[in-house]
């Protein structure tokens, strides 16, 4: 005997989205690297494939389950991860969803099961429409996030302490959200920062080819072991920084010292 009920096994096998509405009170929800502070009337989403923790203070939440197959039929599957931990604020469809959930709660036992199923189906459609609308907003937010990261790197890449963790902190977002925003850029945030620093180093080297390489590397934001920088440079450009400098000096007709 495991002590588990069939309902427990059924719940564990559920794969899809939970569209949640807080009917009263407040709660704290942690999921997908996000910590949400929610109040009565808030609508938010969870993905059953992503662990989450709910803490009531006290509060009561009603959740409508949408199978993943049904969600995929209504939206791009590649965006389902973004749905976890999304809070819908100032959204007319979220307000309508909350109204219908309250009606459903009040109608339990008052209307026939057939009528209840009709209301549930309609409420689910509202929820999916709300998510699709939020998905478009998410794509815009990702584009804005990428632009903000690039602007920040352009302005502060010379700071050796600038890392992906610090960038996320400065933009007040989680690292997972930062990485996800760059998912379609063909490059990671760390690689973008590294390449920007390498370009800055090369520009400085072209402008002042006789300057010490270690000094130019530090100016570009590389504060680690000089041998690590040399290995990185050779891996990316196929030659050492010294060889690059010699090539630049030779092209200018200057003999390296």
């Amino acid at each position: 005997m495991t002590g588990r009920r069939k309902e427990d096994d059924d719940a564990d096998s559920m794969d899809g989205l939970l569209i949640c509405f807080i009917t009263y009170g407040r709660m704290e929800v942690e999921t997908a690297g996000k910590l949400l502070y929610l109040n009565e009337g808030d609508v938010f989403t969870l993905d059953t494939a992503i662990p989450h923790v709910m803490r009531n203070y006290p509060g009561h939440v009603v959740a409508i389950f949408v199978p993943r197959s049904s969600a995929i039929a209504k939206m791009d599957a590649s965006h389902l991860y973004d749905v976890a931990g999304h809070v819908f604020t100032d959204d007319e469809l979220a307000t309508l969803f909350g109204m219908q959930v309250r009606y459903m709660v009040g109608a339990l036992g008052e209307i026939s099961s057939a009528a209840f199923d009709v209301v549930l189906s309609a409420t689910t459609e509202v929820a999916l429409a709300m998510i699709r609308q939020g998905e478009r907003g998410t794509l815009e937010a990702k584009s804005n996030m990428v632009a903000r990261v690039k602007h920040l790197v352009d302005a502060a890449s010379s700071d050796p302490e600038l890392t992906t963790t610090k960038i996320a902190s400065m933009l007040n977002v989680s690292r997972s959200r930062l990485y996800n925003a760059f998912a379609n850029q063909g490059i990671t945030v760390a690689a973008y920062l590294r390449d920007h620093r390498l370009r800055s180093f090369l520009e400085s080297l072209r402008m002042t080819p006789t300057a010490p390489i270690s000094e130019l590397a530090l100016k570009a934001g590389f504060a680690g072991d000089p041998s690590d920088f040399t290995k990185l440079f050779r891996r990316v450009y196929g030659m050492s920084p010294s060889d690059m400098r010699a090539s630049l000096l030779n092209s200018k007709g200057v003999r390296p010292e």
Side-chain angles (χ1 to χ4, degrees):
M1 295 291 290
T2 63
R4 290 178 59 85
R5 301 170 303 167
K6 181 179 183 300
E7 291 85 349
D8 296 326
D9 295 329
D10 291 342
D12 288 345
S13 66
M14 292 169 64
D15 179 38
L17 306 179
L18 293 172
I19 300 89
C20 308
F21 174 70
I22 299 181
T23 56
Y24 67 81
R26 60 191 179 91
M27 64 174 41
E28 183 180 288
V29 177
E30 187 174 354
T31 186
K34 307 169 188 175
L35 184 59
L36 313 177
Y37 297 96
L38 304 160
N39 296 291
E40 180 176 335
D42 283 341
V43 177
F44 64 99
T45 47
L46 299 172
D47 188 326
T48 60
I50 300 175
H52 64 270
V53 177
M54 288 186 177
R55 305 180 184 93
N56 297 347
Y57 290 106
H60 181 264
V61 62
V62 175
I64 291 182
F65 173 70
V66 180
R68 193 172 304 277
S69 57
S70 299
I72 290 175
K74 298 288 185 177
M75 68 187 74
D76 189 335
S78 65
H79 299 302
L80 285 185
Y81 178 79
D82 295 333
V83 172
H86 187 86
V87 182
F88 298 85
T89 57
D90 301 323
D91 187 305
E92 292 181 347
L93 289 177
T95 299
L96 178 57
F97 175 77
M99 292 171 60
Q100 292 192 203
V101 168
R102 287 191 186 279
Y103 172 78
M104 289 171 56
V105 172
L108 280 172
E110 301 295 327
I111 61 177
S112 67
S113 58
F116 187 86
D117 287 344
V118 170
V119 177
L120 175 60
S121 178
T123 304
T124 301
E125 286 300 319
V126 170
L128 290 173
M130 175 186 69
I131 293 173
R132 287 196 301 273
Q133 181 171 285
E135 179 186 336
R136 290 191 291 271
T138 298
L139 293 176
E140 293 176 2
K142 280 186 178 181
S143 178
N144 292 336
M145 177 72 69
V146 169
R148 291 171 65 197
V149 169
K150 290 182 176 180
H151 178 75
L152 179 57
V153 169
D154 289 345
S157 64
S158 60
D159 178 5
E161 296 185 358
L162 187 68
T163 62
T164 53
T165 298
K166 187 171 182 179
I167 290 173
S169 177
M170 293 173 73
L171 296 179
N172 196 30
V173 298
S174 67
R175 283 186 297 173
S176 60
R177 182 179 173 191
L178 183 66
Y179 297 153
N180 191 44
F182 260 73
N184 295 325
Q185 297 298 305
I187 189 172
T188 64
V189 180
Y192 181 82
L193 176 59
R194 177 205 66 196
D195 291 351
H196 191 281
R197 285 171 168 163
L198 285 172
R199 289 192 297 269
S200 295
F201 169 81
L202 279 177
E203 182 62 25
S204 295
L205 189 63
R206 292 189 180 98
M207 295 294 292
T208 54
T210 58
I213 287 175
S214 59
E215 178 181 307
L216 297 181
L218 181 60
K219 179 182 176 182
F222 294 103
D225 190 319
S227 64
D228 290 336
F229 172 71
T230 298
K231 292 176 183 177
L232 168 64
F233 193 92
R234 187 187 298 276
R235 186 171 71 248
V236 174
Y237 294 105
M239 64 175 70
S240 70
S242 297
D243 291 339
M244 179 67 78
R245 178 172 63 182
S247 177
L248 290 171
L249 289 172
N250 183 60
S251 67
K252 293 184 178 183
V254 178
R255 292 178 58 85
E257 298 180 0

